[in-house]
Amino acid sequence: MNIVIKQGRVIDASQQLDAVKDIYISADKIVAIGEAPAGFKADQTLDAQGKWVLPGLVDLCARLREPGSEYKATLLSELRAAMAGGVTSLACPPDTDPVLDEPGLVEMLKHRAKSHALAHVYPLGAVTRQLEGHFLTEMFALTSAGCVGFSQADTAIVDTQVLWRAFEYSATFGYTLFMRAEDPYLAKNGVAHDGEVASRLGLKGIPVAAESIALQTMLRIAQNTGANLHIARVSTAESVELIRQAKQAGVSLTADVSIQHLHLTEMDIGFFDSMVHLKPPVRTQRDRDALRAGLLDGTLDAICSDHTPVDEDAKALPFAESHPGASALELLLPLTLKWAAQAKLTPAQALLKITQAPASILGVAAGTLKVGATADVVIYDPEVEWRVDSRVLVSQGKNTPFLNQSLSGKVSATITSGELVFQQETLQLGVQPNLHAV
């Protein structure tokens, strides 16, 4: 199908483009920007006047809950949510059930995701078998099956000899390790930042040192082995400074922050609001300000959704017993642009953190509108005012700290591989959106 997107404000950080232009799509590629190519005849015309035309978003961490936790969400429900949020490429961590530590499981997930013809799914394989931290997985075989990197999700490798071997092996073959820094003993049974709010509410705290001690170990091993290290979901000011110093010392290092941690602090827990039970926990305003500053100066490279759908019953439990996580695929874009407005950034500067930067970290061809690129395109209406409502969210997980808050801007349409798969005009309360292959 040939598609033309007319008179939208095209914003693409990868080519420093911010101008009103037409975009021409043929088959699954962007074939021209501005003037129609010779002989082009549109089968479908999309009017984007007054709207923004953006590259499809790239998300570094989205849990799709398959296999094993379909009662929380399904692959189809979360890929639908990705389309509603304009996320056309996403990485999923290996903490499924069973764990993504065997090539056959990775191949099955890739096949199922491809059959839905929605977002491009890039699995991260487990660093150790069953994520238990004892024996390394067959990383080469997992890469051949479709893994773009390796992760321990939210579990730690306590044995530093095993950790060292994982870094050495990944350095030998050029793999990237996506690691979240947390000392499991210091964080044990913790559910909130170890500070004033946790003390007042009687909640077991997770100290800043739990992150920084584990991070220092990883940085030192990365420096000694030459491994490519990505630090996932940084949460503290101390970690930002450690990453800044490591980059200056020449460590092969990137890092991201979740969209929740850019906007929330420990004060948002309020009176035991389990929607703010996250992992890692939201921390102080000083930490939040440091995360924002780290994004501005390039210490932190990208923003992720850390999408973690949780069933209603698990979130309805008392704070300390509730399951951590937030549903965020549909909020990543408007919340990123909200941060951009507060930080006085241009849209292109902010969009870089959720398009080209994460694509580069994953090593995938995505997050760009360059001619010849795969046509993953988002049409976004910056003027729409809407309320985050459980009836509006497409994700099966309705758990978000931003529930009932008002946001500006919403995805109007999403094109994946040259095919229109989502149109916001069909999204009404209680009605599923018009999505391809559902």
Side-chain angles (χ1 to χ4, degrees):
M1 178 177 287
N2 290 345
I3 300 174
V4 59
I5 304 172
K6 300 285 290 182
Q7 291 300 294
R9 179 184 172 186
V10 180
I11 305 175
D12 181 10
S14 72
Q15 46 188 331
Q16 298 181 325
L17 177 61
D18 188 344
V20 174
K21 291 181 178 290
D22 298 340
I23 289 187
Y24 298 87
I25 297 169
S26 183
D28 64 345
K29 302 294 184 184
I30 296 172
V31 293
I33 298 177
E35 297 294 329
F40 185 91
K41 183 178 180 181
D43 300 308
Q44 189 168 18
T45 300
L46 300 177
D47 182 7
Q49 190 167 7
K51 299 177 182 178
W52 297 356
V53 181
L54 316 172
L57 308 190
V58 182
D59 192 355
L60 289 171
C61 184
R63 289 174 173 83
L64 305 177
R65 294 309 196 191
E66 278 196 41
S69 297
E70 288 83 357
Y71 66 97
K72 296 179 181 179
T74 66
L75 183 62
L76 180 55
S77 72
E78 302 321 289
L79 292 180
R80 283 175 167 175
M83 295 299 91
V87 178
T88 57
S89 299
L90 56 87
C92 54
D95 53 348
T96 50
D97 184 16
V99 170
L100 296 180
D101 61 0
E102 294 285 348
L105 295 170
V106 175
E107 290 168 352
M108 179 187 70
L109 178 61
K110 290 278 290 182
H111 174 75
R112 283 180 52 77
K114 189 175 182 179
S115 70
H116 292 309
L118 298 172
H120 308 288
V121 174
Y122 298 101
L124 298 176
V127 178
T128 61
R129 297 178 199 168
Q130 295 298 304
L131 298 175
E132 292 175 348
H134 303 311
F135 304 101
L136 299 185
T137 57
E138 297 288 344
M139 293 187 190
F140 181 82
L142 288 169
T143 301
S144 299
C147 289
V148 296
F150 297 90
S151 168
Q152 278 291 107
D154 284 327
T155 62
I157 299 176
V158 178
D159 188 331
T160 49
Q161 189 174 66
V162 175
L163 188 64
W164 188 288
R165 289 205 305 269
F167 277 57
E168 278 188 325
Y169 190 90
S170 66
T172 300
F173 292 95
Y175 304 145
T176 300
L177 294 177
F178 293 74
M179 307 294 284
R180 190 169 79 80
E182 185 175 85
D183 184 291
Y185 298 112
L186 289 175
K188 189 175 182 179
N189 299 324
V191 294
H193 170 66
D194 187 16
E196 175 188 342
V197 173
S199 297
R200 174 167 52 83
L201 296 177
L203 298 173
K204 179 73 167 62
I206 300 175
V208 166
E211 184 168 290
S212 58
I213 288 174
L215 178 58
Q216 285 176 312
T217 299
M218 290 181 189
L219 294 177
R220 180 60 62 87
I221 295 176
Q223 188 171 33
N224 279 270
T225 61
N228 297 323
L229 176 60
H230 177 79
I231 298 298
R233 305 183 296 287
V234 176
S235 73
T236 72
E238 188 171 336
S239 293
V240 173
E241 183 55 33
L242 288 170
I243 292 167
R244 183 178 290 117
Q245 293 172 7
K247 284 189 170 184
Q248 291 169 354
V251 178
S252 179
L253 179 64
T254 53
D256 71 58
V257 59
S258 89
I259 193 60
Q260 286 75 230
H261 287 76
L262 277 189
H263 289 281
L264 303 174
T265 71
E266 59 179 346
M267 301 304 295
D268 290 295
I269 292 175
F271 192 65
F272 301 102
D273 183 1
S274 63
M275 292 294 182
V276 194
H277 183 188
L278 305 174
K279 186 181 285 190
V282 289
R283 299 191 182 272
T284 66
Q285 183 172 333
R286 173 179 171 271
D287 290 308
R288 185 189 66 180
D289 292 346
L291 295 171
R292 291 183 166 207
L295 273 174
L296 293 178
D297 68 16
T299 301
L300 303 181
D301 302 89
I303 303 169
C304 73
S305 72
D306 195 19
H307 177 72
T308 308
V310 174
D311 60 292
E312 187 176 350
D313 289 344
K315 272 297 184 184
L317 295 169
F319 189 96
E321 299 171 30
S322 65
H323 292 196
S327 180
L329 280 170
E330 297 160 77
L331 305 180
L332 178 60
L333 181 51
L335 287 175
T336 296
L337 291 170
K338 181 178 180 179
W339 160 71
Q342 294 167 347
K344 296 181 171 53
L345 293 178
T346 65
Q349 289 172 315
L351 289 166
L352 176 67
K353 304 294 186 179
I354 53 175
T355 55
Q356 193 63 31
S360 177
I361 291 167
L362 289 173
V364 301
T368 180
L369 295 177
K370 290 180 179 178
V371 172
T374 299
D376 296 334
V377 186
V378 175
I379 301 175
Y380 177 78
D381 190 339
E383 301 301 324
V384 171
E385 298 286 337
W386 63 290
R387 181 175 292 274
V388 182
D389 188 299
S390 60
R391 297 170 297 172
V392 172
L393 293 176
V394 177
S395 170
Q396 190 170 315
K398 311 302 180 184
N399 52 299
T400 169
F402 304 98
L403 209 59
N404 298 319
Q405 292 189 25
S406 295
L407 290 177
S408 297
K410 207 166 193 348
V411 171
S412 298
T414 302
I415 295 170
T416 302
S417 296
E419 191 163 353
L420 180 64
V421 293
F422 174 82
Q423 283 187 289
Q424 180 63 36
E425 287 76 8
T426 64
L427 184 59
Q428 301 173 2
L429 294 185
V431 179
Q432 286 291 348
N434 180 22
L435 291 172
H436 173 76
V438 303

